[in-house]
Amino acid sequence: MSSFSLGLTVVLACMAMVVTKYCYFCDISNLGSCVSTTILCGEEEECYFGQGSASGLGHITNRGCVEGLYCGREQSITYMETTYSFITQCCEGNLCNDGPPGPKQVSPSLPIIIAGLSVTLLLA
């Protein structure tokens, strides 16, 4: 193995130790959908999809990053001078909050992807 391949393998292995998570983000909206951007979450944060309702009114939604202790909790928020009952539904994995939570989908994790790249480089 060349020193370049060995160095690249070591760098990739070290990158696997750094945990980063990207989530979709959009502000609160009552339109049912929003134009999302991606954001980098903190170490202790999870991706979430939030949904709220108020008696006699439609739903509001948003998405982003939230500390894990707020996952699944109901809270009151005010949007356009109306108080909504709002719940944050968290999910696991990068960009997992593209819509309301459904059946869990398994996506390849970063360490598995890096291991595959490392093996490919070793065999090359």
Side-chain angles (χ1 to χ4, degrees), residues 28-80:
I28 295 175
S29 170
N30 59 358
L31 302 176
S33 65
C34 62
V35 177
S36 297
T37 58
T38 57
I39 59 172
L40 178 63
C41 296
E43 281 184 44
E44 303 296 321
E45 293 181 316
E46 302 293 334
C47 298
Y48 79 93
F49 175 84
Q51 190 168 32
S53 61
S55 182
L57 297 174
H59 293 281
I60 58 171
T61 61
N62 80 330
R63 54 184 60 103
C65 304
V66 69
E67 287 184 42
L69 64 103
Y70 294 107
C71 296
R73 288 194 175 179
E74 185 174 348
Q75 58 185 328
S76 295
I77 64 167
T78 301
Y79 173 70
M80 297 185 75

Side-chain angles (χ1 to χ4, degrees), residues 43-123:
E43 281 184 44
E44 303 296 321
E45 293 181 316
E46 302 293 334
C47 298
Y48 79 93
F49 175 84
Q51 190 168 32
S53 61
S55 182
L57 297 174
H59 293 281
I60 58 171
T61 61
N62 80 330
R63 54 184 60 103
C65 304
V66 69
E67 287 184 42
L69 64 103
Y70 294 107
C71 296
R73 288 194 175 179
E74 185 174 348
Q75 58 185 328
S76 295
I77 64 167
T78 301
Y79 173 70
M80 297 185 75
E81 300 180 13
T82 301
T83 300
Y84 288 81
S85 174
F86 193 81
I87 298 177
T88 56
Q89 300 169 337
C90 297
C91 57
E92 295 179 13
N94 283 315
L95 304 175
C96 63
N97 64 335
D98 59 345
K104 290 214 175 211
Q105 297 179 353
V106 178
S107 60
S109 67
L110 183 61
I112 292 172
I113 293 169
I114 291 173
L117 289 171
S118 297
V119 168
T120 302
L121 288 172
L122 289 173
L123 297 175

Side-chain angles (χ1 to χ4, degrees), residues 9-22 40-44 94 109-114:
T9 302
V10 169
V11 168
L12 290 173
C14 290
M15 285 175 52
M17 293 178 202
V18 176
V19 178
T20 58
K21 182 184 300 184
Y22 289 91
L40 178 63
C41 296
E43 281 184 44
E44 303 296 321
N94 283 315
S109 67
L110 183 61
I112 292 172
I113 293 169
I114 291 173

